[in-house]
Amino acid sequence: MSQWETVIGLEVHVQLATRSKIFSGAATAYGAEPNTQACAVDLGMPGTLPVMNAQAVELAIRFGLAVGATVAERSVFARKNYFYPDLPKGYQISQYELPVVVGGGLNVRLDDGSSKFVQLTRAHLEEDAGKSVHDAFHAETGVDLNRAGTPLLEIVSDPVLGSAAEAVAYLKTLHTLVRWLEVSDGNMQEGSFRCDANVSVRRKGEPLGTRAEIKNVNSFRFVEKAIDYEIERQIRLIESGGQVVQETRLFDAHKGETRSMRGKESAHDYRYFPDPDLPPLVIAAADIERARAQMPELPEARRQRYIDALGLTEYDASLLTADRIVCEFFETLIAALPEQAKLCANWVLGEWLGALNANALTPDTSPISAERLGSLLQRIVDGSLSSKMGKQVFEELWHSDESADAVIERLGLKQVSDTGALAAVVDEIIAANSKQVEQFRAGNEKLLQFFVGQAMKATRGQANPAQLNELLKAKLA
Ligand code: ADP
Ligand code: MG
């Protein structure tokens, strides 16, 4: 097997976060009644004219700059002609020879800790088609055109990915980035982020092999399975004397296999030509500069800053920067607790994400805001709460609107860290246990635990352990 090398290039369709379609004013909202959100422009009715959605262009520019690509000051829309029931106008408006974003790349971190730069070929603007609906009518197929004209950015990578795992790592990095940039909501169940995987194999040193394209896989797990299946299939085919044919294949998630769908069209089959209804897309240099000035700190840079400036581990920094909303939550926390990055990271990644997961909630629907969690952590930092009590307060905050201080007050949880009060408790215990004091002073240091236990009992567990230890040691010496 090891004489074989895998080559993968991905085409990712990202639905742009605009409220209206790419060339019309119809809504893009997901889940509407079939055929209520496609207007005459989306259907290409005679006499209608498409008008470019400026927001879609802005999002394409933002993406291009974030991956270090060239944003073309002039790009061209082309008609890609083909017949399919979900495309009533007979062509899709896309970009072909002159796309809006050229080149660029993504630094992808792999599971073994190394990283790989994945060169992008291009990213172009295009409209989505409608969709065939197979389960609405008995023995008939319906067509829902709500998706027609939905703005997409198709992001094409060079054929440089070497395994299914690398392909998935690349996809996850890209998914984080487009959500981070608010270019797309990235919702994979709703089809806002879907991927065609081009896969070929070759013996080491040979030129690129013939590829098969696996269409429209919409989960990371399925991409990995589909690619691994395809690699095996192609190697077995070639080793048994066969040849890979260039074709489009579908992944069957139930069977875990890919199946031939149709022979792959070549570009010339589509009879691409510039769309006569749309002028070239001209982007002013000033618009590119404005987008550059508004660029947020990118996940990669932020991750490095967390390691270098905040002293977080690579692991924590990676988890915190994998999602913009999680990361902004953490940013709000450390703004309130600037010296406590590690504590904040532990609570965000441990208690908070854990509670969200356990309750099947997402970060944007958290019942605890970063501000409320911040005031709870403040009480741990100033010694009023042990971290164990902190977790108890967290539980209460999760189920109510109370502030951390109100919960602490109500449950009488305040840790006794007032040295005066603790000292009095310690004095009493020493006075009441003279035998143990003698034994301790004679060298039985294990008895320290006995005194700690007595003090905890006297304060109903609310003594600050660090202060208690210090006081006991001083007074027993
Ligand atoms: P098309 O638009 O017809 O699908 P492209 O040449 O634009 O074809 O390539 C699309 C994708 O296929 C790109 O991501 C590219 O990296 C990938 N690709 C091209 N050739 C190969 C190959 N031999 N093996 C694997 N991937 C390939
Ligand atoms: Mg393609």
Side-chain angles (χ1 to χ4, degrees):
M1 289 292 264
S2 65
Q3 56 167 329
W4 290 101
E5 230 171 46
T6 303
V7 177
I8 302 160
L10 299 181
E11 298 162 276
V12 179
H13 289 91
V14 170
Q15 178 174 331
L16 296 173
T18 64
R19 275 184 300 164
S20 57
K21 302 261 172 93
I22 185 167
F23 301 119
S24 81
T28 54
Y30 179 82
E33 279 293 299
N35 299 312
T36 56
Q37 283 180 179
C39 71
V41 175
D42 305 328
L43 305 185
M45 293 298 197
T48 62
L49 282 175
V51 177
M52 183 71 224
N53 180 333
Q55 177 68 12
V57 177
E58 196 172 314
L59 297 178
I61 296 173
R62 193 183 301 167
F63 175 78
L65 293 177
V67 296
T70 303
V71 175
E73 294 192 11
R74 183 177 175 280
S75 63
V76 168
F77 287 101
R79 290 187 181 180
K80 179 178 182 178
N81 298 280
Y82 64 92
F83 171 78
Y84 209 70
D86 64 14
L87 187 75
K89 69 179 192 260
Y91 62 89
Q92 176 194 26
I93 305 177
S94 181
Q95 296 190 306
Y96 183 54
E97 277 167 318
L98 295 172
V100 63
V101 169
V102 181
L106 270 185
N107 214 19
V108 176
R109 305 187 49 75
L110 305 173
D111 281 345
D112 66 2
S114 67
S115 62
K116 171 165 183 156
F117 183 77
V118 178
Q119 178 75 41
L120 300 182
T121 316
R122 57 190 269 153
H124 61 258
L125 285 162
E126 64 182 23
E127 60 177 350
D128 207 348
K131 102 182 171 210
S132 298
V133 180
H134 301 291
D135 52 10
F137 309 103
H138 175 67
E140 284 177 72
T141 294
V143 176
D144 176 8
L145 295 169
N146 283 352
R147 275 200 97 87
T150 297
L152 303 178
L153 188 66
E154 178 174 338
I155 302 160
V156 183
S157 83
D158 278 359
V160 291
L161 296 159
S163 66
E166 274 187 18
V168 170
Y170 161 77
L171 276 179
K172 286 185 173 168
T173 307
L174 184 60
H175 187 248
T176 293
L177 182 65
V178 296
R179 281 170 45 83
W180 193 278
L181 296 171
E182 292 170 339
V183 156
S184 172
D185 67 15
N187 190 320
M188 297 175 85
Q189 285 83 45
E190 294 179 3
S192 300
F193 187 94
R194 36 193 224 263
C195 150
D196 301 343
N198 296 271
V199 180
S200 68
V201 298
R202 62 178 170 190
R203 292 193 170 85
K204 287 207 171 93
E206 284 179 357
L208 283 181
T210 303
R211 70 188 148 120
E213 181 184 40
I214 312 164
K215 270 282 179 212
N216 265 335
V217 197
N218 69 348
S219 93
F220 297 127
R221 208 162 49 88
F222 288 168
V223 169
E224 183 150 22
K225 282 190 161 177
I227 292 176
D228 276 333
Y229 177 89
E230 188 56 25
I231 294 169
E232 280 256 348
R233 183 189 73 87
Q234 292 185 13
I235 292 175
R236 240 184 288 133
L237 183 62
I238 298 171
E239 284 187 338
S240 63
Q243 264 186 339
V244 175
V245 289
Q246 181 162 328
E247 64 182 352
T248 300
R249 299 178 70 85
L250 269 190
F251 178 64
D252 180 335
H254 295 294
K255 295 202 175 131
E257 60 185 36
T258 65
R259 264 202 311 273
S260 179
M261 182 166 119
R262 55 168 189 253
K264 164 100 186 137
E265 300 84 350
S266 300
H268 66 257
D269 295 330
Y270 288 122
R271 296 288 187 272
Y272 279 102
F273 64 88
D275 193 308
D277 287 343
L278 283 158
L281 174 60
V282 175
I283 299 174
D287 288 339
I288 297 176
E289 286 323 305
R290 190 165 38 90
R292 203 189 299 281
Q294 291 169 350
M295 189 64 64
E297 183 181 27
L298 298 179
E300 172 91 5
R302 188 170 284 184
R303 180 182 163 281
Q304 203 54 48
R305 179 166 66 78
Y306 283 178
I307 296 167
D308 297 341
L310 300 184
L312 294 183
T313 61
E314 297 212 354
Y315 182 74
D316 285 357
S318 299
L319 288 178
L320 286 168
T321 53
D323 181 272
R324 174 95 178 253
I325 298 173
V326 171
C327 201
E328 292 309 325
F329 189 94
F330 175 72
E331 286 278 305
T332 308
L333 265 188
I334 49 169
L337 295 137
E339 302 298 317
Q340 302 292 335
K342 182 63 190 157
L343 177 80
C344 293
N346 286 346
W347 275 78
V348 168
L349 298 173
E351 292 303 306
W352 185 61
L353 281 183
L356 287 173
N357 274 337
N359 291 282
L361 292 172
T362 50
D364 56 335
T365 54
S366 167
I368 299 188
S369 67
E371 286 77 8
R372 278 170 91 220
L373 181 56
S375 41
L376 162 56
L377 297 192
Q378 209 84 58
R379 292 291 162 258
I380 293 176
V381 172
D382 71 16
S384 317
L385 289 181
S386 65
S387 59
K388 197 165 150 212
M389 291 170 172
K391 287 174 187 172
Q392 197 179 336
V393 175
F394 180 87
E395 270 292 306
E396 297 289 326
L397 293 185
W398 190 267
H399 298 289
S400 78
D401 293 330
E402 277 175 290
S403 70
D405 283 345
V407 170
I408 294 167
E409 189 68 42
R410 177 164 61 76
L411 299 183
L413 277 178
K414 227 170 169 50
Q415 179 165 257
V416 182
S417 3
D418 165 356
T419 343
L422 266 188
V425 170
V426 169
D427 285 341
E428 268 173 45
I429 288 166
I430 288 180
N433 297 283
S434 49
K435 212 173 85 207
Q436 283 85 348
V437 173
E438 228 171 83
Q439 289 170 357
F440 180 84
R441 290 189 173 140
N444 186 353
E445 297 198 353
K446 275 194 235 152
L447 277 172
L448 185 64
Q449 264 327 104
F450 164 77
F451 292 107
V452 170
Q454 294 294 310
M456 281 297 180
K457 209 156 140 196
T459 59
R460 296 199 321 275
Q462 293 174 13
N464 177 320
Q467 280 180 7
L468 178 60
N469 264 303
E470 222 163 273
L471 272 173
L472 276 171
K473 278 188 191 152
K475 292 195 181 254
L476 286 168

